[in-house]
Amino acid sequence: MVDISGRTANGYTYDGIYQNAGPNRITWTATYRRNGVFFGMRHGRVDGLHDLPPKEIDEVVRDDISQTWAG
């Protein structure tokens, strides 16, 4: 599992984890907060990660986490 955190486009912060769920697939779970107050949790999956280096996988997962919350 890999720990990940960041900020969504609409100002929420998130802390989460992701892990390899199969060939070229990542699953993630994130907790969202605003000003330290819990607002919710989401989970998701990213497919099609053929031959991406770990740094790029991090960015793809961050984008998916942010997009899931901010829409």
Side-chain angles (χ1 to χ4, degrees):
M1 282 193 249
V2 178
D3 292 324
I4 194 165
S5 61
R7 182 175 297 274
T8 65
N10 59 355
Y12 290 81
T13 59
Y14 62 83
D15 294 304
I17 57 169
Y18 69 88
Q19 64 184 2
N20 187 356
N24 303 309
R25 180 181 302 153
I26 297 290
T27 58
W28 59 263
T29 301
T31 301
Y32 299 88
R33 298 180 186 278
R34 186 166 214 164
N35 298 323
V37 177
F38 174 81
F39 269 83
M41 292 182 72
R42 298 287 187 273
H43 65 275
R45 183 176 81 195
V46 181
D47 295 314
L49 301 173
H50 303 285
D51 303 321
L52 287 180
K55 179 128 178 120
E56 287 184 37
I57 290 174
D58 243 25
E59 291 304 314
V60 169
V61 172
R62 285 178 197 277
D63 289 345
D64 198 52
I65 289 172
S66 183
Q67 183 65 27
T68 298
W69 188 260

